[in-house]
Amino acid sequence: MPEASAAGGVMPLLSVENLTMRFGGLAAIDDLSFDVPAGRISAVIGPNGAGKTTFFNCLTGFYKSTAGSVRLNHPELGVLRLESLPSHQVARLARIVRTFQNIRLFPKMTVLENLIVAQHNVLQQASRFSLAGLFGLPSYRRAEARAVDKAVDWLRRLDLIDKADVPAGALPYGTQRRVEIARALCADPLLLCLDEPAAGLNPRESGELNELLLRLVKEERLTLLLIEHDMSVVMNVSDHICVLNYGRKIAEGTPDEIRNDPHVIKAYLGEEEEEEEEEDAAGAVQAKAIGART
Amino acid sequence: MPPLVSVGDAPTLVERGRDAAGIALIALLLGIPMIGLSTVDQSGALRVLTRWPLLGVFVAVAFCGRLLLRYALDRLKSRLRTRGRQAAAASARHGRVLTAVGWLAFALALVLPLVFADNRYVVDIATTVLIYVMLGWGLNVVVGLAGLLDLGHAAFYAVGAYAYALLATQFGWSFWAALPVAGLIAAVFGLALGWPCLRLRGDYLAIVTLGFGEIIRVVLVNWTELSGGPNGISSIPRPSFFGLPFAPSGNAPTFASSFGLEFSPMHRLIFLYYVILALSLLTNALVARLRRLPVGRAWEAMREDEIACRALGMNVTNVKLSAFALGAMLGGVAGVFFAARQGFISPESFTFNESAIILAIVVLGGMGSQLGVVLASLVLVLIPELGRDFSEYRMLLFGAAMILIMIWRPGGILAHREPTLRHAAAGGGHA
């Protein structure tokens, strides 16, 4: 398979090498190697149970991988080995922030509070073991004002500003997804990992999501890594796609390459399709992608 | 979108009638043998009498009662739904009302001992209420804010009380010197409990904290050399008025003699009342302030979703331990006051019952609500007091009252949560 062909010479932000995650006898991820180019949108796709979310959990320190390494080229701290970091350090030091397949907001707290909690580490440091905060020292008050400004800024840009004081749990599903992305952005990510950001969105909302993702990469120079089932999102925004099946990488490349890859078609449509003409199967995948878009 | 829901839910008149008729039918069937027929003893022989008119009244009452009950429940439900919808708009107003109520309660608490200066009973009960308020506020940090179910809070209460009792009787420490030290000792115990509980949540955590509470009590019962065992520790020195003892005037200056007052045992009680009032107000100020700081928000965020906290780079270990330590410290300080007020402590005062009442105060008051804790403490201390006339039915009354409150307000008396900061307030005139 062509390694990092789609990266197009862009320096990888994240390199996954021979990553393996076993649960007892089951290899949920089997010897996965994969580069995430900086400043691009990469996607991990695959049928249900292919190990996509497990991969995210390994990447963000929620699981300890059985073998292999994950390296991050941090612009300030040099190369970080993520597989040995606990989950909160992955977010704090390596600045890899993720969202969740089943939204995990703080439902009783307001949207604004959710975004302030995302800046916990900065604020906690400014509050000096809560003492500066308790006495309301100016240094802490400035830090808090900055945090609020940043949160308000993201709320404006994601068109959530009129929801700022609403408890996050009271919002409609699609809006909650956006709040979760806004919250992740407040944590200053180098790499933003989105686990099925389009799940449960209607076509208009997923169209808006596409725009948002493209804008983030263009304006913020963010690197995005998606897990997604919605082909209209994956095929329209990704620069680089990695396809997993049964924990193994079966293909990697640009959306066009993936669309026509026989292994991918086989994984998605099953073994019987192998006997048919390749073009038919490829057409079927494309039809599926188009179907998902409408 | 909301109207769709309520239209579908509102029952028509026919539906209501049918529902009530069903209940009336059951009443009729039950009523025929129970009311319609009755046996009377007529000169040694049993005769069956019929009472159809009474049965008719009974069925009619059941019919109307059901109709009314159903209507009341539906109205309550729809009102709750509208309230949920307008929650955001109403919440700011709600918050202001609660603040006003809080200040009013504060003013009442300030003047209470002056009004009842010669009523020992009232001042004593008020002091007990305040001890529970303080314990409730301490536990509120752990349970209400951080969402860690702690069934052993009385352990920290005990640690604080015994720490003061030992420091005072063995080393002659004064109340004011022992107060912070005993608080710190309790905080250390809080950390000791928190450490093994880091990975536990919900039921499992509750079981471990329950066990911890029992361990402390059993150790106090059995470690006779340290704690005096079941006999407890007696003649614990009472706090003095900054060096001036409350005693009948003798050679040394006393509180009464220095202020030119006639000695009265009420002076000490009133002083103790103001001490616990000051301590609990300090607790309230501390907790209310911390809630608006990063730690406080982290506690609440952790209660809402621990995994999301970790994904945002929060060190959940520190957040949990800080909640346990602070809650334990506040419990310990309340314990110091308790020991100083009683003058005698024994493990009997720190049973699981105590933990359960403190937890009930937090849950009944509305998790995380400071004012709710005050109301719940009032209710939980006053109900058994008012129920003294019912002697052994007192606890039955207590249980029934708790069940009714939880049915009436499942989220606690004050389930309102005030956001720690608002865009509307900060952002309105925001540069």
Side-chain angles (χ1 to χ4, degrees):
Chain A
M1 256 159 281
E3 198 66 44
S5 63
V10 181
M11 164 96 158
L13 178 71
L14 186 84
S15 341
V16 179
E17 274 163 36
N18 310 104
L19 188 74
T20 301
M21 179 77 213
R22 282 180 202 284
F23 296 106
L26 175 85
I29 299 177
D30 195 359
D31 202 27
L32 174 68
S33 299
F34 170 52
D35 280 352
V36 177
R40 297 289 171 84
I41 300 182
S42 308
V44 178
I45 63 171
N48 285 331
K52 305 180 297 284
T53 298
T54 307
F55 168 60
F56 257 34
N57 283 338
C58 288
L59 186 67
T60 49
F62 280 91
Y63 292 162
K64 289 279 153 269
S65 51
T66 319
S69 73
V70 182
R71 267 181 242 166
L72 179 87
N73 286 314
H74 195 287
E76 288 127 41
L77 304 171
V79 175
L80 290 176
R81 309 225 7 179
L82 300 182
E83 70 276 8
S84 56
L85 288 179
S87 55
H88 70 273
Q89 291 292 21
V90 171
R92 189 176 183 172
L93 269 185
R95 286 162 59 196
I96 297 183
V97 183
R98 67 173 292 186
T99 65
F100 293 86
Q101 193 174 345
N102 43 347
I103 306 174
R104 284 183 178 277
L105 288 172
F106 307 124
K108 283 189 193 149
M109 304 176 85
T110 65
V111 170
L112 182 62
E113 285 177 306
N114 266 274
L115 269 62
I116 299 287
V117 169
Q119 306 174 53
H120 174 79
N121 287 320
V122 182
L123 281 174
Q124 180 67 355
Q125 211 156 27
S127 83
R128 312 233 168 263
F129 302 107
S130 302
L131 288 179
L134 268 183
F135 297 111
L137 296 189
S139 65
Y140 172 73
R141 271 188 287 169
R142 272 198 303 275
E144 198 187 56
R146 270 199 303 275
V148 172
D149 280 345
K150 186 180 194 174
V152 167
D153 182 45
W154 277 118
L155 288 177
R156 288 228 163 82
R157 286 159 73 176
L158 268 69
D159 195 24
L160 287 164
I161 193 68
D162 51 335
K163 305 283 189 298
D165 293 331
V166 179
L171 293 171
Y173 195 79
T175 317
Q176 289 197 17
R177 285 237 172 254
R178 234 171 337 139
V179 173
E180 204 187 17
I181 294 175
R183 186 180 69 179
L185 288 168
C186 275
D188 262 335
L190 271 176
L191 173 65
L192 179 59
C193 299
L194 303 170
D195 195 344
E196 298 203 18
L201 299 190
N202 63 34
R204 186 177 52 82
E205 286 172 326
S206 73
E208 287 169 0
L209 177 75
N210 283 358
E211 265 171 56
L212 171 69
L213 298 182
L214 291 170
R215 218 171 68 204
L216 286 176
V217 170
K218 209 168 125 203
E219 293 171 12
E220 302 299 320
R221 320 275 328 128
L222 265 177
T223 307
L224 297 186
L225 180 61
L226 312 175
I227 291 178
E228 192 45 78
H229 274 303
D230 186 338
M231 288 300 156
S232 70
V233 173
V234 174
M235 292 299 170
N236 286 343
V237 303
S238 322
D239 300 304
H240 184 67
I241 297 177
C242 170
V243 189
L244 295 186
N245 195 21
Y246 296 114
R248 288 176 167 277
K249 181 170 78 177
I250 57 171
E252 189 179 359
T254 61
D256 280 329
E257 288 166 7
I258 295 299
R259 218 169 265 163
N260 300 315
D261 190 298
H263 291 94
V264 178
I265 294 160
K266 200 169 93 182
Y268 267 92
L269 298 180
E271 295 287 346
E272 303 82 37
E273 304 294 331
E274 209 175 22
E275 282 109 56
E276 292 178 20
E277 286 293 318
E278 295 250 307
E279 285 82 3
D280 278 3
V285 165
Q286 258 171 333
K288 194 180 165 202
I290 291 162
R293 206 173 306 175
T294 47
Chain B
M1 167 172 63
L4 279 178
V5 183
S6 23
V7 166
D9 273 2
T12 63
L13 210 62
V14 178
E15 274 174 333
R16 282 185 198 284
R18 202 177 297 151
D19 173 58
I23 296 294
L25 182 68
I26 295 173
L28 180 70
L29 291 179
L30 283 174
I32 290 174
M34 287 162 68
I35 298 169
L37 305 173
S38 89
T39 52
V40 284
D41 184 14
Q42 221 166 41
S43 55
L46 273 183
R47 265 194 57 196
V48 176
L49 283 184
T50 53
R51 299 188 291 188
W52 302 130
L54 186 65
L55 179 63
V57 171
F58 180 70
V59 171
V61 165
F63 182 81
C64 297
R66 175 66 185 180
L67 218 54
L68 281 176
L69 180 72
R70 196 65 246 169
Y71 176 70
L73 284 179
D74 284 342
R75 254 197 51 180
L76 193 71
K77 222 189 281 169
S78 74
R79 209 174 55 202
L80 283 181
R81 207 178 296 122
T82 15
R83 197 186 293 161
R85 219 177 298 147
Q86 300 162 344
S91 118
R93 193 158 32 92
H94 205 129
R96 273 199 299 278
V97 172
L98 288 187
T99 318
V101 172
W103 282 108
L104 186 72
F106 171 56
L108 285 180
L110 267 188
V111 298
L112 179 126
L114 303 179
V115 175
F116 294 99
D118 48 359
N119 193 336
R120 189 187 168 127
Y121 178 69
V122 169
V123 176
D124 255 348
I125 294 288
T127 310
T128 310
V129 170
L130 283 175
I131 292 182
Y132 279 107
V133 167
M134 179 150 179
L135 284 169
W137 277 340
L139 187 63
N140 208 3
V141 171
V142 184
V143 177
L145 294 180
L148 304 162
L149 186 52
D150 181 357
L151 287 179
H153 199 63
F156 306 120
Y157 188 34
V159 167
Y162 271 87
Y164 170 64
L166 291 173
L167 286 173
T169 54
Q170 306 295 317
F171 304 101
W173 284 40
S174 78
F175 175 76
W176 296 107
L179 192 70
V181 174
L184 284 181
I185 294 174
V188 170
F189 273 81
L191 291 178
L193 167 66
W195 194 255
C197 293
L198 283 173
R199 293 167 164 277
L200 303 177
R201 280 196 74 80
D203 316 359
Y204 307 100
L205 179 67
I207 292 169
V208 173
T209 54
L210 177 69
F212 184 80
E214 283 304 290
I215 288 172
I216 296 281
R217 193 181 62 82
V218 170
V219 166
L220 289 176
V221 170
N222 290 295
W223 194 356
T224 322
E225 299 92 82
L226 180 84
S227 65
N231 298 330
I233 301 177
S234 53
S235 58
I236 301 166
R238 308 301 180 86
S240 56
F241 187 82
F242 306 102
L244 299 171
F246 293 95
S249 20
N251 305 330
T254 63
F255 173 77
S257 69
S258 335
F259 285 85
L261 298 167
E262 201 171 318
F263 171 74
S264 152
M266 282 306 289
H267 289 164
R268 188 177 62 218
L269 294 179
I270 293 175
F271 174 66
L272 281 174
Y273 173 85
Y274 279 117
V275 168
I276 185 69
L277 182 64
L279 285 177
S280 46
L281 286 176
L282 201 67
T283 303
N284 182 32
L286 180 74
V287 174
R289 188 98 189 115
L290 282 175
R291 200 174 86 89
R292 281 157 206 278
L293 289 181
V295 240
R297 283 191 208 110
W299 289 334
E300 287 200 81
M302 189 176 70
R303 174 193 69 200
E304 302 284 293
D305 199 319
E306 194 176 321
I307 289 178
C309 285
R310 278 161 59 194
L312 292 170
M314 197 181 284
N315 188 343
V316 183
T317 305
N318 292 351
V319 176
K320 265 190 195 174
L321 288 179
S322 63
F324 268 121
L326 185 74
M329 190 188 82
L330 296 175
V333 170
V336 172
F337 178 82
F338 176 77
R341 176 205 186 203
Q342 300 293 91
F344 164 74
I345 51 169
S346 78
E348 282 295 291
S349 311
F350 310 103
T351 52
F352 172 68
N353 225 357
E354 208 65 16
S355 296
I357 288 184
I358 306 168
L359 185 68
I361 285 173
V362 173
V363 175
L364 215 59
M367 302 264 242
S369 161
Q370 298 284 87
L371 195 58
V373 166
V374 178
L375 293 179
S377 311
L378 268 175
V379 169
L380 288 202
V381 175
L382 290 188
I383 286 181
E385 286 303 322
L386 295 177
R388 279 191 189 283
D389 294 342
F390 300 90
S391 58
E392 66 257 47
Y393 296 107
R394 200 149 77 103
M395 291 327 272
L396 195 68
L397 188 77
F398 183 76
M402 275 183 79
I403 292 173
L404 283 179
I405 292 176
M406 283 333 262
I407 290 175
W408 171 53
R409 312 220 70 173
I413 300 175
L414 286 179
H416 171 77
R417 177 185 178 276
E418 181 65 19
T420 56
L421 76 177
R422 284 175 185 280
H423 173 60
H430 189 262

